[in-house]
Amino acid sequence: MERLSDMKVLVIGETCKDVFIYGDVNRLSPEAPIPVIEPKRKVINRGMAENVKLNINALGLQADLITNSEEIIKTRYVDDSYNYILLRVDDNDKVSNINIETLPNLETFDLVVFADYNKGFLKKQDIHLISSKCKCPTFLDTKKKLGTWCEHISYIKINYQEYLRSKTQIQKYEWLKNKTIVTRGPNGCDFNEKNYPTKEVGVKDVAGAGDSFLAGLIFKYIHTYDIDQSIEFANRCSTQVVQMRGVSIINKNKL
């Protein structure tokens, strides 16, 4: 039997640089009714699919990443006193499509995850084709509307707003309903008509919480192949990171 430390995950999807500029807000602009921020410090993290990879690594799994070459930058200006985001600026929001021919041998991986932020790197047909070639479990986190292109995916993780956009399709296809996990923030997570509650905590920042949930889901699933245990563990992971500022990485020792 393969040891957990020898198992390897392939993450495919867009990555970005998350920039948080924290500052003091003490007055409104005389030109318009908007706050004036005095920048004090800058925090930079790797985000989106790379944040998924980093969280998988933090939990003790090996992970490779296939991602865009262009750099997406998300810059948030934050009131340091209240951790309130005043403005977000996204640069280079669209990237080039993946070259499937450059993919590594999929048979060398124990699980493949698509972290699809719908920035152009992965098209529906790319995900459909790649997942059809996988002999291992496949997970999908997507901003796209769900449909038959997801048929080869083992499990799909989306948030509640994304669920509402795809609700008609999910209700139309029973197989889609049976593989869709819906995260609902403080209301926990829904799967197969069952709710998995989360512990009530003080939330400081939800940035990257979905990535941490996905990483926890993958880590536990590759270890147990039990989706119920995996969802419960993923809830614990996301609950931990929302108590920290910015985009945070799971601390395995504190779970």
Side-chain angles (χ1 to χ4, degrees):
M1 184 176 179
E2 191 173 14
R3 293 181 304 171
L4 183 62
S5 59
D6 295 328
M7 291 182 172
K8 191 159 67 171
V9 174
L10 177 63
V11 181
I12 307 173
E14 295 100 340
T15 58
C16 74
K17 180 164 71 173
D18 277 316
V19 181
F20 292 81
I21 298 174
Y22 295 92
D24 296 332
V25 178
N26 298 311
R27 61 192 176 95
L28 293 178
S29 168
E31 298 122 334
I34 56 173
V36 175
I37 184 169
E38 298 178 46
K40 297 295 183 183
R41 60 190 176 94
K42 180 188 290 188
V43 178
I44 299 175
N45 305 96
R46 299 306 304 175
M48 302 200 304
E50 191 162 359
N51 188 40
V52 176
K53 175 188 179 295
L54 291 171
N55 275 280
I56 290 172
N57 293 154
L59 288 168
L61 274 178
Q62 300 179 61
D64 288 353
L65 175 66
I66 305 295
T67 190
N68 45 283
S69 56
E70 305 94 335
E71 184 165 62
I72 299 170
I73 304 174
K74 297 181 181 180
T75 305
R76 300 165 178 86
Y77 292 85
V78 187
D79 182 343
D80 204 10
S81 296
Y82 298 98
N83 202 46
Y84 181 79
I85 298 175
L86 303 171
L87 177 69
R88 186 176 117 177
V89 180
D90 289 5
D91 292 310
N92 200 25
D93 206 36
K94 292 294 179 183
V95 298
S96 302
N97 187 213
I98 187 175
N99 182 357
I100 292 181
E101 294 181 359
T102 64
L103 284 174
N105 181 4
L106 297 173
E107 294 185 4
T108 63
F109 295 93
D110 299 281
L111 189 146
V112 174
V113 55
F114 301 91
D116 171 39
Y117 291 83
N118 204 24
K119 305 293 185 183
F121 188 65
L122 288 167
K123 299 184 185 303
K124 292 178 180 179
Q125 57 265 34
D126 298 324
I127 298 173
H128 184 267
L129 178 60
I130 297 169
S131 59
S132 72
K133 296 178 180 294
C134 293
K135 296 180 180 179
C136 62
T138 53
F139 281 66
L140 170 67
D141 185 355
T142 184
K143 304 298 181 186
K144 294 181 175 64
K145 189 174 181 179
L146 304 184
T148 54
W149 59 275
C150 307
E151 62 182 332
H152 300 297
I153 300 293
S154 304
Y155 292 102
I156 302 164
K157 174 256 167 194
I158 54 177
N159 64 38
Y160 189 65
Q161 291 302 315
E162 293 158 355
Y163 163 76
L164 292 178
R165 289 200 297 270
S166 294
K167 186 176 180 179
T168 301
Q169 292 295 91
I170 293 171
Q171 292 178 338
K172 179 179 179 181
Y173 299 107
E174 189 70 19
W175 59 266
L176 190 54
K177 178 182 177 182
N178 292 338
K179 65 175 66 177
T180 302
I181 300 164
V182 183
T183 58
R184 303 186 62 188
N187 296 315
C189 175
D190 293 339
F191 176 66
N192 263 349
E193 300 182 350
K194 176 182 176 181
N195 179 261
Y196 299 76
T198 54
K199 181 181 177 182
E200 186 174 340
V201 296
V203 176
K204 290 185 178 178
D205 209 318
V206 297
D211 301 333
S212 300
F213 180 96
L214 183 60
L217 188 73
I218 289 163
F219 170 79
K220 198 66 174 180
Y221 188 80
I222 208 171
H223 183 56
T224 64
Y225 292 98
D226 185 309
I227 195 62
D228 293 291
Q229 289 186 39
S230 302
I231 292 172
E232 290 170 356
F233 182 79
N235 271 343
R236 288 164 55 196
C237 291
S238 59
T239 297
Q240 184 192 90
V241 299
V242 299
Q243 297 177 74
M244 298 179 279
R245 286 191 170 197
V247 176
S248 303
I249 302 298
I250 298 165
N251 186 329
K252 185 179 179 180
N253 295 328
K254 292 185 178 180
L255 286 173

